[in-house]
Amino acid sequence: DYTERWLFQHFSRVAFAVFMMQFIRTPRQLRWVFLTLLGCILAAVPLALTQFAQAGEDVFRLYSRVVNWADNENRFAFGCILGVAFLYYLFVTARSVWAKSISVLGACVLLPLVLLAASRSGFMGLILLGALVISGAFGVRQSGARGPAIAAFLMLVAVGFMTFAFVLGPKARERVLNLNPFAAGTPGPRLEGAASAEQRAATLKETLAVIRMHPVTGVGIGNFRWANKYYHDSFKPPHNSYLWAGAEGGTVVLLLYLVLFRLIWQRLGRLREIYARRPELPYFPHWLRVYMVLFIFFSFFADVWLEEHIFLIVAAVALLDHW
């Protein structure tokens, strides 16, 4: 029975969002909230590397059992990508050379860990982050800042390429490149990750069946896994936040969830110009939009719909709008 745990997690995160909106009074304090998030991400790195070094030869994927958000390879990759994105934002908005150097060095540390997690969603997330940087999603378009931003981006691309070519083992490289979800049932040798693809496909079908059985109200927040165990003898999560929201809360909750995304996106669109050159939080709504895009993308492949990310984004957007 996970009811007590889920209720605690959900309402503690609601309380966290309310706390942010009531007690974060200055842009400097909001900046420290996200610096603390970055610190939590960086703190998991030595733990994950130590666990990886002590594991046997059969273990080729990097994650950390000690830290809750990093106890799954996909969530670990997501956290590291968020760290890379925020460090890149700090790089392009920092004024001092030492701050820029520390930011790009930290990003160069986190980026290889995404590939070492051998997460296919993490690999695609890195490609998405690169596309966001190229498209100017971080907002920096001045000629004076564009040159260093391009140089830092090329450095990160080089670090990623060298990690893929010279650090990743054959199993990890094979898994990362096994992106075809329909290749699991094809004849021939089974590629690394094929069993995971089969399991995900089966769980998605089971989740759709649960939604069809409870289309309006769902099975209740936090109840999917035991309900799926009852219906299909499987305790696996759906690995898709949208289907999980539909299965637990029904179509009403899923629609409200998507409406929340729409409202956040519209509000950030209005805030981008206002905060473009604010000295305290320059281009901060641009960073939040990048955060939102990465969250929406990973929601297709990971169970993040009730994690702290959406609460953090909502509270930050509310504060920026209030100020």
Side-chain angles (χ1 to χ4, degrees), residues 11-76:
F11 285 105
S12 65
R13 286 161 184 166
V14 172
F16 168 76
V18 172
F19 178 88
M20 275 189 63
M21 289 185 281
Q22 290 297 320
F23 293 99
I24 300 299
R25 299 296 179 90
T26 66
R28 183 185 295 271
Q29 291 174 351
L30 181 59
R31 184 183 179 92
W32 271 109
V33 170
F34 282 84
L35 287 172
T36 304
L37 173 65
L38 176 63
C40 293
I41 294 172
L42 293 173
V45 172
L47 300 173
L49 292 174
T50 301
Q51 177 183 308
F52 188 70
Q54 295 174 350
E57 296 181 357
D58 295 335
V59 177
F60 63 94
R61 304 186 67 187
L62 186 65
Y63 67 101
S64 174
R65 292 193 186 95
V66 180
V67 186
N68 182 53
W69 69 266
D71 62 357
N72 172 275
E73 295 89 349
N74 296 319
R75 288 204 302 270
F76 178 76

Side-chain angles (χ1 to χ4, degrees), residues 31 35 86-104 140 144-145 148-149 278-283:
R31 184 183 179 92
L35 287 172
F86 188 60
L87 284 165
Y88 186 79
Y89 163 76
L90 293 178
F91 173 84
V92 297
T93 57
R95 298 175 183 176
S96 62
V97 175
W98 70 268
K100 286 183 176 292
S101 302
I102 292 176
S103 299
V104 75
V140 180
R278 287 282 183 95
E280 304 93 347
L281 293 172
Y283 299 101

Side-chain angles (χ1 to χ4, degrees), residues 34-316:
F34 282 84
L35 287 172
T36 304
L37 173 65
L38 176 63
C40 293
I41 294 172
L42 293 173
V45 172
L47 300 173
L49 292 174
T50 301
Q51 177 183 308
F52 188 70
Q54 295 174 350
E57 296 181 357
D58 295 335
V59 177
F60 63 94
R61 304 186 67 187
L62 186 65
Y63 67 101
S64 174
R65 292 193 186 95
V66 180
V67 186
N68 182 53
W69 69 266
D71 62 357
N72 172 275
E73 295 89 349
N74 296 319
R75 288 204 302 270
F76 178 76
F78 178 39
C80 290
I81 289 177
L82 286 181
V84 172
F86 188 60
L87 284 165
Y88 186 79
Y89 163 76
L90 293 178
F91 173 84
V92 297
T93 57
R95 298 175 183 176
S96 62
V97 175
W98 70 268
K100 286 183 176 292
S101 302
I102 292 176
S103 299
V104 75
L105 179 62
C108 288
V109 170
L110 286 178
L111 191 144
L113 303 183
V114 179
L115 296 173
L116 288 171
S119 167
R120 286 167 290 190
S121 57
F123 178 64
M124 292 187 290
L126 280 179
I127 296 175
L128 174 61
L129 179 58
L132 290 171
V133 172
I134 293 172
S135 68
F138 285 85
V140 180
R141 291 187 174 90
Q142 303 99 317
S143 58
R146 191 177 300 171
I150 294 174
F153 173 71
L154 293 177
M155 182 184 299
L156 291 173
V157 171
V159 169
F161 176 78
M162 288 188 293
T163 303
F164 184 87
F166 303 111
V167 179
L168 285 190
K171 285 187 176 181
R173 195 179 297 119
E174 184 177 283
R175 183 183 179 89
V176 165
L177 294 178
N178 183 15
L179 299 175
N180 183 4
F182 305 104
T186 58
R190 288 171 62 83
L191 297 176
E192 184 64 44
S196 173
E198 290 177 347
Q199 186 181 81
R200 282 174 178 254
T203 309
L204 291 176
K205 291 179 181 178
E206 294 166 358
T207 307
L208 289 171
V210 173
I211 293 174
R212 285 193 294 269
M213 285 185 278
H214 304 274
V216 180
T217 61
V219 296
I221 304 300
N223 293 341
F224 172 79
R225 298 187 75 171
W226 71 258
N228 196 40
K229 178 72 174 176
Y230 176 77
Y231 289 124
H232 303 111
D233 196 28
S234 172
F235 201 64
K236 292 290 183 181
H239 293 293
N240 184 299
S241 294
Y242 307 106
L243 291 183
W244 200 341
E248 292 194 341
T251 53
V252 175
V253 167
L254 177 58
L255 288 175
L256 289 172
Y257 190 50
L258 298 178
V259 167
L260 176 64
F261 287 172
R262 175 69 175 174
L263 295 175
I264 294 172
W265 191 261
Q266 288 178 334
R267 194 167 293 194
L268 283 173
R270 295 197 302 267
L271 292 170
R272 283 189 302 170
E273 287 300 320
I274 299 174
Y275 283 87
R277 292 170 181 82
R278 287 282 183 95
E280 304 93 347
L281 293 172
Y283 299 101
F284 203 75
H286 290 78
W287 144 247
L288 288 178
R289 264 201 167 188
V290 171
Y291 192 170
M292 191 74 185
V293 170
L294 293 173
F295 176 77
I296 291 173
F297 172 77
F298 269 89
S299 294
F300 283 102
F301 307 101
D303 314 317
V304 295
W305 89 285
L306 281 181
E307 291 190 357
E308 54 276 346
H309 303 289
I310 190 66
F311 298 92
L312 184 60
I313 293 171
V314 165

